[in-house]
Structure formats: structure tokens, C-alpha cells
Amino acid sequence: MTYNGTIYRPPVEANTFLLPVTEGCTHNSCTFCNMYQDIPFRMLSLSEVEEYLQEVEKIYGRYCEKIQRVYLVGADPFALSADRLLERIRLIKKYLPNTKVITMYARTDNIASKSDEDLKRLQEAGVDDLYIGVECGLNDVLENLNKGYSADDTREQCLRLNAAGIGHCDLLMLGTAGKGRGLECARASAKLENEIQPRKILINTMSAFVGTELDEEIKAGAFLPASEKENLEEEREFLAGLDLPDCYFWALHPLDSVKIDGILREEKQQMLDALTRSIEHVNESRINRTSRVGTL
Ligand code: SF4
């Protein structure tokens, strides 16, 4: 199989079997993102997927029976209709018969395009732990980022996932609201997350990658980025506001200046303390390094 573009997957899926299913992103116009700029969205055909799985079977033989979790590659493979996803899941189970969980990135509008019955069928087939780019809880900020959906849309669609029994892992980004609005953003994001009850929260820090619209906005003075200290204050306020004891909080992204992770029930206070130590004691010039990073 020839695959166009870089394969991105959530860091917490580092040990999961990756199966290419789509290329590119259906939206491809968030102002901060350049991951799929030159890659048009394409659904790989069933025969391409089967060919890949046959190759895997040939190389790994009986090891395929050990695989229980499969990550579908692409920016938003959940854009495929439920029927198309189910066709691909049937193939996965033919070649990897002990697969229990199928996970992937999903945009809020991918969920909206499916009926409750579709979601239930997908859940019964093993779809779980969808990764959702929530980014932040403020509608106007999401609009400025051209995310293509609002926080209210995310609330509505994640509650539908919960009702169907499909768990989700939410990606939140620090600094989206710019200078001076981090705490407001943190409170709105914590409120949203408490309502939609994710299994995991993954934090990263917004960065103006070269060639993005955000980079141009910053150069033109149209967007004032938050300092790294403000980002950490936002993260602390967000974390403090979370009431999700069983949720796993993960902030180990290369763009996160303070690396913390843990189950909130057990490690929330230690994580808050680590953020406070950095905010109060670390020289800002040492941590102020992420907002102009050119690439990942
Ligand atoms: S952030 Fe996600 S949804 Fe937005 S353009 Fe990039 S890949 Fe697509």
C-alpha cells in the first residue's frame, strides 16, 4: 500500500496496532494546523485495507491473534459512514480475530452525521475511545480557530456518544484564547469536560507552526499569544476545575513545558503542585519556549 502523508496518532496509542483507513482531514482548515495541508482527504478502498491486512498476516502470522486493539489512521476516519466503518471492522476481525477495541480520531461533525442507531451499531462492533479535538470550551475562540464546530456542538455530540456507550478521550489545547483570556478559557473548558465526562484528557500547547494562518495572524498582530506562564496558569485553573475522579489526565506532549500525568482521583493534587512550582519558581524565559516552535 502507498500511503500519502505522515501518520499521526495520539501518543497514548504508541503500542497499538495502526491500520491506515483514510488520508488527510475532511476539514483541513483549522488556523493552527498544518499537519495535512498538502494531503487531500481520501478514503482507502476496502481492497487496499484488505491488501494491507493480508501483508500483516503474512509477516506476523500467529502474532496477529494477540492483537486486541486497533487504531484507525487518519485525521478523522470517523467521517466514514457507519456502514463503511462496519465493512472495515469486519475485515479487521477476519485478519485480527481477537480485536476488541477499534479507536480513531473523530471530529464533532463526524459524530453529528451519524444516527443514534449508527452509534449503537458501531459500539457493538467495538468502536471505543474516540479521540476528539475539543480544544477549548469557548465558542468564539473555536470560531476564531476555524475549528468548524462550537463547544456547544461538542457537548451535544459527546453526550450522544456517552448514551451509545462509546467512550471518548478529549484533546484540549492551552493558549487558544490568546493573551489575557487563559483563565476564562480554563473555566469554560473544565465546565464542558465535567459535563461530557471523558475517559482521558490530553493536553497540548498551541503553537504557531510555520505556514499556518495563526502564524500569519501573530505576525500581523491580529492574535496576541499568551505567554508560557499564562498557559501554565490556564492549565492549573483547568485541572483544578475538573471533577472527573476516574479520568486520566495526560500532559506529556512535546509542546507542554511541564510534564505531568495521572488519574485525577489519585494524582490531581501532585499535578497541581507541580504546575504551581513552575509558575511561582521557574524563570519565565526558561519555560517560554513553545509558542514559536516551527514544527513538531
Ligand atoms: S486540527 Fe484536526 S481537524 Fe483541524 S485541520 Fe488539523 S487535523 Fe483537521
Side-chain angles (χ1 to χ4, degrees):
M1 175 196 287
T2 309
Y3 189 80
N4 290 317
T6 306
I7 290 183
Y8 296 96
R9 50 117 183 99
V12 290
E13 299 292 350
N15 296 319
T16 304
F17 175 79
L18 308 181
L19 178 67
V21 166
T22 61
E23 294 170 349
C25 168
T26 57
H27 181 60
N28 207 15
S29 45
C30 296
T31 61
F32 56 88
C33 178
N34 62 1
M35 291 195 294
Y36 301 97
Q37 257 173 0
D38 304 322
I39 311 290
F41 180 80
R42 182 175 86 89
M43 176 184 74
L44 275 62
S45 68
L46 262 187
S47 56
E48 284 176 287
V49 175
E50 182 152 28
E51 198 184 300
Y52 186 85
L53 285 164
Q54 284 167 341
E55 196 67 16
V56 168
E57 187 184 46
K58 212 186 298 168
I59 296 169
Y60 294 103
R62 294 200 59 187
Y63 180 78
C64 291
E65 290 173 23
K66 291 189 189 294
I67 294 173
Q68 298 193 349
R69 187 176 177 95
V70 174
Y71 176 80
L72 303 188
V73 169
D76 60 338
F78 206 61
L80 268 54
S81 68
D83 287 341
R84 285 186 159 142
L85 281 168
L86 288 165
E87 283 173 340
R88 282 148 184 79
I89 292 170
R90 274 192 286 278
L91 270 187
I92 291 169
K93 291 187 174 172
K94 179 173 163 191
Y95 292 93
L96 310 172
N98 293 317
T99 300
K100 305 227 170 0
V101 175
I102 317 276
T103 173
M104 70 199 94
Y105 276 120
R107 282 176 48 82
T108 289
D109 48 7
N110 301 161
I111 307 165
S113 67
K114 294 178 177 59
S115 68
D116 291 345
E117 195 199 334
D118 287 339
L119 294 179
K120 199 65 209 159
R121 285 194 299 149
L122 291 165
Q123 184 270 335
E124 284 165 1
V127 170
D128 206 358
D129 286 346
L130 293 182
Y131 289 88
I132 316 280
V134 174
E135 320 300 3
C136 95
L138 291 172
N139 289 336
D140 69 303
V141 170
L142 291 168
E143 198 177 330
N144 289 340
L145 297 175
N146 198 27
K147 190 69 200 173
Y149 48 77
S150 67
D152 295 331
D153 296 332
T154 297
R155 179 181 296 103
E156 184 182 344
Q157 298 311 324
C158 286
L159 291 175
R160 290 185 61 230
L161 286 183
N162 294 353
I166 298 178
H168 52 96
C169 309
D170 298 349
L171 291 96
L172 277 290
M173 202 158 58
L174 304 174
T176 53
K179 197 166 191 53
R181 290 189 69 195
L183 296 182
E184 178 194 354
C185 190
R187 290 175 199 128
S189 299
K191 181 170 180 293
L192 174 63
E193 290 300 293
N194 288 339
E195 288 168 354
I196 64 178
Q197 303 269 312
R199 284 201 187 130
K200 294 178 199 157
I201 291 176
L202 285 77
I203 299 287
N204 72 40
T205 307
M206 194 167 78
S207 188
F209 295 119
V210 171
T212 58
E213 216 177 308
L214 176 67
D215 188 40
E216 297 306 316
E217 285 173 15
I218 292 174
K219 284 178 187 155
F223 181 86
L224 291 180
S227 69
E228 191 53 23
K229 188 170 177 198
E230 280 182 277
N231 288 337
L232 293 177
E233 286 166 346
E234 177 183 344
E235 184 175 5
R236 180 174 61 177
E237 185 78 5
F238 172 63
L239 176 56
L242 291 175
D243 183 16
L244 300 165
D246 297 323
C247 180
Y248 172 56
F249 187 89
W250 184 97
L252 301 173
H253 193 279
L255 297 176
D256 297 335
S257 57
V258 176
K259 310 286 190 234
I260 48 175
D261 74 313
I263 304 284
L264 290 177
R265 180 192 304 282
E266 294 157 10
E267 289 168 84
K268 182 173 173 179
Q269 193 54 52
Q270 288 104 295
M271 292 192 283
L272 285 170
D273 291 345
L275 290 169
T276 298
R277 275 196 301 278
S278 294
I279 292 164
E280 291 179 358
H281 302 298
V282 178
N283 183 318
E284 188 157 3
S285 65
R286 272 187 63 201
I287 53 173
N288 198 7
R289 57 158 182 76
T290 59
S291 66
R292 304 299 296 169
V293 171
T295 186
L296 271 177

